[in-house]
Amino acid sequence: MSDNSLGTIVLYNTMTASKEKLETLEPGKCGIYCCGPTVYDYTHLGNARAAVVPDLMVRFLRHQGYEVKYVRNVTDIDDKIISRSAEQGVSPTDLAVRFTEEYHKDMTALNALDPDVEPKVSETIEEIIALVKQLVDKGLAYDMDGDVYYRVPDFKGYGKLSNRSVEEMLESAGSRIDVDQRKETPLDFALWKAAKPGEPSWTSPWGEGRPGWHIECSAMSSKHLGDSFDIHGGGRDLIFPHHENEIAQSQGAHGEDTYAKYWVHNGFINFAGEKMSKSLGNFFTTRELTAIFPPETLRYYLMTVHYRSGLNFDLEVTCPACHAVLDKEQQESAKCEACGHETTSDILKKQVRFPSLEEADDRLAYIYSTLEASQKFLETAKAPGQDVVVEGAVGEMLGAFIAHMANDLNSSGALGVLSKPLGEINGLLASGKGVNKALRFAIIDLFVKSMKEVAEILGCFGKDPSSWLVQRRDMKAARIGLDTDKVEGLLIERITARQEKDWSAADRIRDELTELGVSVQDGATGSVWSFI
RNA sequence: GGCGGCAUAGCCAAGUGGCUAAGGCAACGGUCUGCAAAAUCGUCAUCCCCAGUUCGACUCUGGGUGCCGCCUCCA
C-alpha cells in the first residue's frame, strides 16, 4: 500500500465513515481534543481504554514528528456528580476533586501522558456562558424559565456525524423517553440548566444555573485549540448525542466549516458480566486490576486489539477441587457439577481468573525477558569495530511496525511484527553458532535500539526489564497465593541435590514445586524458577 | 422501529481484488536438557450462507442469517 509509505498517516474518520490521509490544518502541527472523564467514581477498564487510545495516537504522531497539542477535559460539574455527592453526603466539588486525583493516579499507572491542557468545566464557565449567549443571539437557542435549549431543527447539519435525520428522529421521539413539554421539539437539548436548591450554580443572563452536558466540550476546545482543530476523540457511545450536539453548538456559533476535521472513536470493552455471578462482585475498576497485574500488562492488553474493535474481557471461575470451569449457576450455588465439590462465595472469589490478562502478562514477560537478556549480552560482549548492515526480521522491524501504526493505529498488526525478531534474538542469545560475531552483536544491538522506539510509541516495553520482571513475578505470586520464601528454600535444596547428582531428590523437589505452581529452569548459570 | 459495527483455524486476532491469508494462546513433533522447564525450529485455516460484478474475491455489490453497540448525560 503506497498510502503507508513512511510519513503518511491514515485515520478512520467517523464523519466520512472512511479512512483518510491525515492532513492537519497547519502542516506538522496537530490539535487533539479528547473527551475526558466525568469524575464521580474510580475509572474502569473502559475509561482506561478511552484514555490509552488517544495516548497512543498522541505518542505516535509525536514520534512521526508532529507538534501535538493534546487537550483532554475533566467534567467536574454534572448530574452524576451531583447525585453521587448527595448519596455520600459530600459536596460535589469535593467529590470531583477527589476523583480527579484518583483518575490521575490511574493514568500515571497506565503510563498515559498528561495532556498539554486539562481544562475543567468549573474553570470554563465564562466561555460557556459566552457561547450560549452567542447561540441565543443567533436564534439557535431559546430561554425557558432559566433553562436554555438548543433549537435543533434550525441547525441544518444536525445528524451528519451519527447519520440520522431530524425528521426521522422527530417521528420516533418520545417513544422511549418522556419529553419535557416546555421544549419546542423533543430533540432540543439543554445548553444551560437552571439551578435547583443545593446544586452548584453560577450567575448567568438567564439566572442562576449551570452548564448542560454538551456545551463544555464546545467551549473548552475553542478556548484551547481554536474554533477549528484537527482531531476529536472519544468513545463510540459519544457519537450520539454528545458529539452531534457539540457540532451543532460549535458550528452553529462559528460556522459550518469549523470544528473538528477528524473524528476518532474507540470501541467498547465487552465485559464478561453474564459469565460471572453478581455475588462474586465485580472487580473491573482499573484500580482493582492494577493491584493484581502490573499496570503495563493492562496497557499492553488494551493494545492487542485494534482500537475500533470491541475487546473481550474474559474471566473464568474454576472449581477449587477439580479446576473445572464453573458457569454462572454453579458460581451462585457454589457447587461444582463436575466433581460435586461444595464451597463458598468467598473461596470462589479467589478462584476468579482473567485468561486474557494472564496471556498478556505472559507475553509481556517474554518480551521483557528477551530485552533483559539482550541488554546483558550487549554489556558483556565486545562491540564490533566495523559497521554491519542488518537485514531480515530485525532490520525490517521498526519500519514494518511504524507502517502498521500509520494505518489507522493498527497496534495489533504492529505487535505481530515483533514476533519474528523476538524469536531470532532469542535464538542468537542462546547460541552464536554459525553466525558472524560482529553481525550477531549488530543484530542484537539494532533490536534493542528499535525496541526503544517501539516503547516510545506504545508506552510499553520501556521500563527497566529486570525491575519489571521482579514486580511481575511478585504480583503473580500474590495472585496465586504463592509462598515465595518456601519456593526459594526448596530451590536451594534442589540445587544442592543436583550438585551431588542426586537426581531422584532433585526430581522430588521439583514435583513439590510443581504442586505449588512453580516450574524450575536449570541453566548453565544456575537454576531459576518461574510460573507454570 | 431507526442508525452503525462485526462474522477469518480449538480460542484470541491482523490483513489483502490474483503470489506461501500476519501474530499470539492451546495442541503435536524436532533441537536443547541428567530428565524436565524455558528458549528455539517445524506442523496446524481457504476466510458465516446465497446470488452478482470480474479473466480472477476471503477482500467489491445485493440479499439472507447470526452476534454486538448506540438511539436512555455509560468510555
Side-chain angles (χ1 to χ4, degrees), chain A residues 247-520:
Chain A
I247 292 170
Q249 292 161 351
S250 291
Q251 295 189 348
H254 306 129
E256 243 182 272
D257 53 348
T258 62
Y259 217 49
K261 190 170 177 191
Y262 302 91
W263 289 88
V264 176
H265 292 105
N266 64 269
F268 269 48
I269 290 176
N270 307 314
F271 293 105
E274 335 74 61
K275 283 193 202 161
M276 188 168 166
S277 159
K278 275 257 163 57
S279 61
L280 299 188
N282 293 321
F283 19 27
F284 300 149
T285 65
T286 306
R287 200 58 62 84
E288 284 158 325
L289 292 168
T290 54
I292 53 175
F293 286 94
E296 191 169 332
T297 289
L298 255 70
R299 186 178 170 100
Y300 176 80
Y301 163 70
L302 293 172
M303 298 189 301
T304 56
V305 176
H306 185 92
Y307 76 89
R308 280 191 284 118
S309 303
L311 207 188
N312 305 313
F313 184 70
D314 295 329
L315 55 86
E316 65 181 33
V317 183
T318 53
C319 170
C322 74
H323 304 296
V325 176
L326 305 178
D327 62 20
K328 202 174 162 184
E329 286 91 68
Q330 294 176 73
Q331 291 167 29
E332 257 154 29
S333 61
K335 183 173 176 181
C336 173
E337 279 170 16
C339 71
H341 181 79
E342 290 189 44
T343 179
T344 65
S345 247
D346 282 341
I347 290 170
L348 280 185
K349 267 183 203 168
K350 292 183 181 144
Q351 293 295 119
V352 179
R353 294 284 176 269
F354 304 93
S356 49
L357 283 181
E358 275 165 19
E359 190 179 322
D361 197 48
D362 289 344
R363 185 70 181 161
L364 203 43
Y366 165 77
I367 292 169
Y368 267 124
S369 302
T370 308
L371 278 171
E372 182 185 42
S374 300
Q375 288 175 3
K376 275 189 186 147
F377 173 88
L378 294 175
E379 279 161 21
T380 50
K382 239 214 258 163
Q386 78 272 36
D387 280 344
V388 183
V389 177
V390 176
E391 291 170 336
V394 173
E396 294 161 6
M397 181 177 114
L398 189 59
F401 183 89
I402 288 171
H404 273 103
M405 289 302 291
N407 181 17
D408 196 26
L409 304 176
N410 185 355
S411 55
S412 184
L415 288 170
V417 163
L418 305 181
S419 290
K420 278 252 158 43
L422 284 160
E424 187 178 335
I425 293 299
N426 276 311
L428 285 173
L429 289 167
S431 157
K433 227 166 42 181
V435 186
N436 173 293
K437 249 186 168 173
L439 182 61
R440 185 179 180 214
F441 187 97
I443 292 173
I444 295 172
D445 187 50
L446 179 64
F447 170 75
V448 170
K449 287 189 173 121
S450 301
M451 283 301 279
K452 276 205 178 108
E453 297 212 30
V454 166
E456 272 177 42
I457 294 169
L458 294 182
C460 270
F461 318 143
K463 299 235 164 54
D464 172 61
S466 309
S467 354
W468 189 87
L469 287 164
V470 168
Q471 181 204 15
R472 183 258 180 180
R473 192 169 92 166
D474 289 348
M475 292 187 92
K476 186 158 182 181
R479 229 184 300 139
I480 64 175
L482 183 70
D483 183 343
T484 316
D485 289 342
K486 189 173 174 188
V487 171
E488 297 287 356
L490 284 170
L491 197 67
I492 289 166
E493 270 184 55
R494 185 163 173 282
I495 288 167
T496 313
R498 287 190 76 237
Q499 278 164 353
E500 290 161 7
K501 293 210 191 308
D502 184 353
W503 304 127
S504 64
D507 291 350
R508 198 193 61 242
I509 297 168
R510 185 166 61 199
D511 289 343
E512 267 186 72
L513 287 163
T514 306
E515 264 316 278
L516 294 170
V518 163
S519 78
V520 194

